[in-house]
Amino acid sequence: MSYNILKGKKGIIFGALDEKSIAWKVAKRAKEEGAEFVLSNAPLAMRMGEIKRLAEECNAEIIPADATSVEDLENLFTKAQEILGGKIDFVLHSIGMSPNIRKGKDYGDLNYEWFLKTLDISALSFHKVMHVAEKQDAMNEWGSIVALSYIAAQRVFPDYTDMSQAKAVLESIARNYGYRLGRQKKVRVNTVSQSPTKTTAGTGVGGFDAFYEYSDKMSPLGNASAETCADYCITLFSDLTRMVTMQNLMHDGGFSSMGISEDIVDMISK
């Protein structure tokens, strides 16, 4: 159902790879709610994914950008404002990748150069996005910037390895830049801590099926889907959440408040 709550708003959506991506679902919902936006992803991800199909479905233009490159981001924000005919109202940062996880490195045997790459791609890129937006004065007042996180920033999930640190840095950046942009232009900055989700990136983490089943059994509402995460992001882009900022918002079916559930007890007792 559409409520038209983003009518007239303009945005940038990072990270749509394929139809499993949360960013893909956000783009579809943003279109349904009346927004205009540009799509962006790294050139390599664009070659691997299906973003052109999404762009056609949403009548959106694609601007390739490596989110770790300030120069690429400067070009992105400049072109986005030209294409959309004005400043930006919302940004989705749905970017994360760990070379250590991709190559199966154990947490006690990390490649530190790859670790730095994990931090740059998955967390520092968020700072760079807001740095460029600030320098270009690209955001409208009362705009909204959202990044996707995971509870491994606060708790230990062994197979998540260095992405845990990346998510912790991401959430810290949201708080610090949220203060800065809030004071300057009433722009709010939040992270959404999502349930394990069957995206292309998520299922690449070792032991994902166990993550997913455990979380689903622990959560009284079950795991939050990519579709419901998109719905939540849309509310954060809207004017209905104007006073919500600098928060790490748990979108996880109640998982983060649980100690143990009856389903887990039953599973262990068998």
Side-chain angles (χ1 to χ4, degrees):
M1 181 182 294
S2 173
Y3 303 94
N4 225 24
I5 59 174
L6 298 186
K7 183 178 180 181
K9 293 194 180 294
K10 308 173 192 300
I12 298 174
I13 296 176
F14 290 90
L17 181 66
D18 55 35
E19 59 187 7
K20 295 179 182 178
S21 305
I22 293 173
W24 185 291
K25 309 289 188 186
V26 171
K28 297 278 284 185
R29 287 291 289 115
K31 180 65 176 177
E32 290 172 5
E33 293 297 338
E36 296 177 82
F37 50 86
V38 298
L39 299 166
S40 186
N41 214 328
L44 176 60
M46 288 178 61
R47 290 195 294 272
M48 294 170 55
E50 305 168 19
I51 194 171
K52 290 182 180 178
R53 176 161 63 88
L54 177 64
E56 291 172 0
E57 292 176 2
C58 295
N59 193 28
E61 293 198 33
I62 304 168
I63 306 174
D66 176 352
T68 67
S69 165
V70 171
E71 183 178 356
D72 278 14
L73 291 171
E74 288 172 341
N75 177 65
L76 167 62
F77 272 91
T78 298
K79 287 189 174 179
Q81 291 174 85
E82 291 173 358
I83 291 167
L84 298 172
K87 293 184 180 183
I88 307 303
D89 297 294
F90 66 88
V91 175
L92 177 72
H93 178 285
S94 181
I95 302 169
M97 194 279 285
S98 165
N100 279 299
I101 289 177
R102 283 195 174 185
K103 296 182 184 294
K105 299 291 281 186
D106 182 78
Y107 189 69
D109 190 32
L110 295 180
N111 179 308
Y112 290 115
E113 289 186 6
W114 294 351
F115 193 169
L116 292 173
K117 194 70 175 174
T118 299
L119 294 174
D120 196 17
I121 294 169
S122 308
L124 298 185
S125 63
F126 191 41
H127 191 284
K128 292 174 183 178
V129 164
M130 291 185 282
H131 161 80
V132 171
E134 178 189 353
K135 296 303 180 187
Q136 291 192 6
D137 190 23
M139 297 294 296
N140 274 320
E141 285 197 353
W142 297 105
S144 176
I145 301 173
V146 174
L148 298 181
S149 190
Y150 181 53
I151 199 172
Q154 292 87 32
R155 300 186 189 176
V156 176
F157 293 82
D159 290 327
Y160 210 63
T161 70
D162 59 350
M163 277 297 294
S164 299
Q165 279 75 65
K167 293 302 188 185
V169 173
L170 181 84
E171 293 174 13
S172 179
I173 288 170
R175 288 187 291 272
N176 283 271
Y177 234 123
Y179 170 77
R180 184 176 181 88
L181 293 180
R183 293 272 296 183
Q184 289 177 2
K185 298 206 68 175
K186 306 297 184 186
V187 170
R188 55 206 193 268
V189 182
N190 295 289
T191 53
V192 172
S193 187
Q194 166 68 359
S195 297
T197 309
K198 293 183 178 181
T199 62
T200 300
T203 53
V205 176
F208 176 83
D209 289 344
F211 272 123
Y212 187 89
E213 183 179 359
Y214 171 72
S215 177
D216 200 46
K217 289 182 180 297
M218 278 287 287
S219 308
L221 300 181
N223 285 330
S225 67
E227 289 82 4
T228 56
C229 185
D231 289 338
Y232 194 39
C233 290
I234 294 301
T235 68
L236 293 173
F237 295 153
S238 79
D239 292 335
L240 301 177
T241 51
R242 277 193 165 193
M243 301 308 290
V244 180
T245 193
M246 300 166 63
Q247 302 300 308
N248 180 49
L249 301 161
M250 311 307 293
H251 188 258
D252 61 4
F255 176 87
S256 52
S257 293
M258 293 296 295
I260 195 166
S261 70
E262 292 179 3
D263 286 344
I264 295 294
V265 171
D266 291 343
M267 186 174 68
I268 293 171
S269 300
K270 288 180 181 177

